[in-house]
């Protein structure tokens, strides 16, 4: 009898314990640790939280914790001063589930610090603020703090008497949110600041100043000036450069702007026409034609021939065959050699940060947000800058 009572009591106790134990499938986000390789409904909730804050870029959420989720989580952790291990633990949940960490629609908080390599909704706000003042000239804003954002911050800092380190810290952000100098406004009405470089595709108040200066000397003949550096502006710059004995590249750099602000010849009624732009266009066409003809060639680490290419080997091979500019062998060296542009043109190189900090992958820009490259898993192929993998890793474009 005693044994029977003991068995009933013991069984009831075990049943109660089992009934009250939490089932992992029923646990709420934040109850348990999540990491790569796990598959449950909490992962889907995690992805949605990261998506709401601008870190998870995939078009849909899933229950699987893969590399995309890990990368998004690491970006969130870095932006919020957490250990960037890609694991959702107690400290990460505390910040992630706090509504105060999501971005606001107003100005950038001056209590934060943003710098190269970071991904955060606040970076997008920073870019928007710089864009309003004429410093950020890229076609659209993103959450990634790459070289274009850094260069825009440096220009803003120089124009406003701040330490030009490319880091958006409290002083820079406070100045950006308050009364600061807009791009080009510090230069006089009759001249353009010689500390900048203006080129085809850019939009800036300084472009309008450039057009006005060229108009006074008879080179810019359009009826009105704008902030856009189009083909009419480029052609006017080239005419001025020929007349002033400068290198004719259609880019308004420090030497061209200094000459424009000084005593330079006024345009004759019929300035002579050169053939530089035609030959440059022909070279670009060759680069694109040769690159496209190599689609399907496999990826080979260190490869430099049609038997197999790595990304830099492919670019170097194409440029050499087309008679284009001489390029170094590595992506990092190519990135250092080129001149940054806010919006790439056909034939420019586009760079990405993949397996290590800094430029580690590159391709040749084809136009319409498309680029051709040697991908490690695809071989030579054409991809989109808006691809969910490439977009958040985009560093910027360079011309040569």
């Amino acid at each position: 009898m005693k044994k029977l009572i003991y068995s009933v009591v013991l069984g009831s106790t075990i049943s109660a314990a089992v009934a009250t134990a939490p089932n992992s499938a029923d646990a709420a986000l934040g109850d348990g640790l999540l990491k790569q390789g796990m598959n449950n409904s909490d992962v889907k909730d995690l992805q949605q939280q990261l998506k709401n804050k601008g870190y998870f870029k995939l078009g849909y959420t899933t229950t699987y914790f893969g590399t995309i989720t890990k990368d998004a989580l690491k970006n969130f952790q870095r932006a919020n001063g957490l250990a960037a291990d890609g694991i959702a633990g107690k400290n990460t949940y505390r910040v992630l589930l706090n509504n105060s960490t999501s971005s606001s629609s107003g100005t950038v908080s001056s209590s934060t610090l943003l710098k190269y390599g970071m991904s955060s909704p606040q970076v997008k706000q920073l870019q928007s603020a710089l864009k309003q003042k004429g410093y950020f000239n890229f076609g659209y804003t993103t959450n990634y703090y790459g070289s274009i954002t850094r260069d825009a911050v440096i220009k803003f800092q120089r124009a406003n008497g701040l330490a030009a380190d490319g880091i958006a810290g409290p002083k820079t952000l406070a100045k950006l949110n308050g009364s600061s100098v807009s791009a080009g406004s510090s230069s006089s009405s009759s001249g353009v600041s010689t500390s900048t470089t203006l080129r085809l595709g850019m939009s800036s108040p300084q472009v309008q100043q450039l057009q006005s200066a060229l108009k006074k000397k008879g080179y810019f003949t359009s009826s009105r000036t704008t902030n856009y550096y189009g083909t009419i502006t480029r052609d006017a710059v080239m005419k001025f450069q020929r007349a002033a004995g400068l290198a004719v590249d259609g880019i308004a750099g420090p030497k061209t702007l200094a000459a424009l602000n000084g005593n330079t010849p006024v345009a004759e009624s019929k300035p002579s026409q050169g053939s530089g732009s035609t030959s440059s266009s022909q070279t670009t066409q060759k680069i694109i034609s040769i690159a496209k003809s190599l689609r399907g060639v496999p990826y080979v680490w260190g490869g430099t021939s049609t038997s197999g290419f790595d990304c830099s080997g492919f670019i170097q091979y194409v440029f050499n065959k087309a008679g284009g500019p001489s390029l170094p062998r590595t992506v990092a060296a190519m990135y250092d050699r080129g001149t940054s542009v806010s919006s790439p043109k056909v034939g420019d190189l586009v760079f990405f940060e993949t397996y290590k900090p800094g430029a580690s992958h590159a391709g040749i820009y084809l136009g319409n947000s498309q680029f051709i490259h040697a991908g490690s898993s695809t071989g030579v192929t054409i991809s989109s800058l808006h691809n969910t993998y490439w977009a958040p890793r985009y560093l910027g474009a360079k011309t040569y």
Side-chain angles (χ1 to χ4, degrees), residues 133-155:
K133 293 182 181 292
Y135 293 95
F136 187 80
N137 299 313
F138 196 58
Y140 53 91
T141 57
T142 72
N143 285 345
Y144 184 70
Y145 199 123
S147 60
I148 295 174
T149 307
R150 181 192 59 201
D151 292 347
V153 169
I154 289 173
K155 288 178 184 176

Side-chain angles (χ1 to χ4, degrees), residues 16 31 64 66 79 116-117 126 206 216 220 223 294 318 364 366-367 370 375-376 378 380 392:
D31 288 345
Y64 182 68
Y116 180 79
L126 170 66
Q206 288 179 310
K216 286 181 180 178
F220 187 81
S223 59
L294 297 171
V318 170
I364 302 169
L366 301 176
Q370 303 287 310
S376 59
T378 61
V380 177

Side-chain angles (χ1 to χ4, degrees), residues 50 63 165 176-177 345-346 364:
L50 290 168
T63 58
D165 56 6
L176 187 62
N177 291 335
K345 64 180 186 299
V346 176
I364 302 169

Side-chain angles (χ1 to χ4, degrees), residues 18 31 40 42 47 70 86-87 108 139 147 149 156 166 168 199 203 210 222 225 242 255 264 278 304 351 362 383:
V18 171
D31 288 345
N40 61 54
D42 282 356
Q47 292 172 352
K70 183 177 180 180
I87 298 172
V108 190
S147 60
T149 307
F156 172 80
R199 65 176 73 243
S203 291
L210 169 65
S222 181
T225 58
R242 288 191 193 98
K255 288 185 178 179
T264 51
T278 303
T304 59
F351 292 87
S383 300

